[in-house]
Amino acid sequence: MKMALQGNTLLIKEADNVQFTVIKSWNKMKWNKRLSQLEGIADLELLDKLSSIVKLPPAIEARRESLHRVQDAVDRERVNPEPVPMYKYPVKLPLYRHQIRGANMAMITFGFIEPDGK
């Protein structure tokens, strides 16, 4: 099986029948008849499922680890009892704790702040 990552799109070619059937059953990738390849968004769920059936190439494994770091940082912020703003948010009134948590999680998710809080 050959895999490539183009931006956020994962491409898979030359999968055997068993691999193709399993991957297709997840409904996360679509068959491109013209190019004879599977195509789908390289999200955390898809990459985790693929890693359970095959060894991922280094670039794709790095993407999976990066997505895990972001998800772990968001999960830590979600349960943070005393959140501190990670950015000076442009609002006039003070934010409530749940608003600070939500804003921090959004900044981490969209890549404006690194998952380690820098």
Side-chain angles (χ1 to χ4, degrees):
M1 175 186 326
K2 295 181 181 177
M3 282 189 245
L5 195 58
Q6 288 183 345
N8 288 336
T9 304
L10 182 67
L11 309 173
I12 297 178
K13 277 190 167 190
E14 300 177 13
D16 64 27
N17 289 336
V18 174
Q19 291 169 335
F20 179 84
T21 304
V22 169
I23 293 169
K24 194 73 171 137
S25 73
W26 299 334
N27 292 324
K28 302 284 285 171
M29 302 188 84
K30 294 190 178 188
W31 179 249
N32 184 332
K33 192 179 209 179
R34 186 174 59 83
L35 299 174
S36 298
Q37 65 186 13
L38 286 163
E39 300 175 352
I41 302 297
D43 62 358
L44 186 58
E45 182 183 5
L46 176 62
L47 295 179
D48 279 345
K49 286 182 176 187
L50 275 174
S51 71
S52 70
I53 62 170
V54 295
K55 183 171 173 22
L56 298 177
I60 298 173
E61 181 62 29
R63 167 86 174 150
R64 185 175 85 90
E65 290 171 1
S66 169
L67 290 173
H68 266 290
R69 279 193 305 277
V70 169
Q71 185 63 48
D72 292 343
V74 168
D75 289 341
R76 278 192 307 275
E77 188 63 29
R78 181 177 289 120
V79 296
N80 186 355
E82 295 296 326
V84 177
M86 295 180 172
Y87 181 78
K88 183 166 177 5
Y89 299 113
V91 294
K92 293 181 182 181
L93 298 174
L95 295 173
Y96 293 105
R97 280 187 251 162
H98 71 279
Q99 292 171 321
I100 294 171
R101 275 189 215 102
N104 288 347
M105 289 188 296
M107 296 292 277
I108 293 168
T109 299
F110 293 118
F112 294 114
I113 295 176
E114 292 295 320
D116 58 6
K118 294 180 183 173

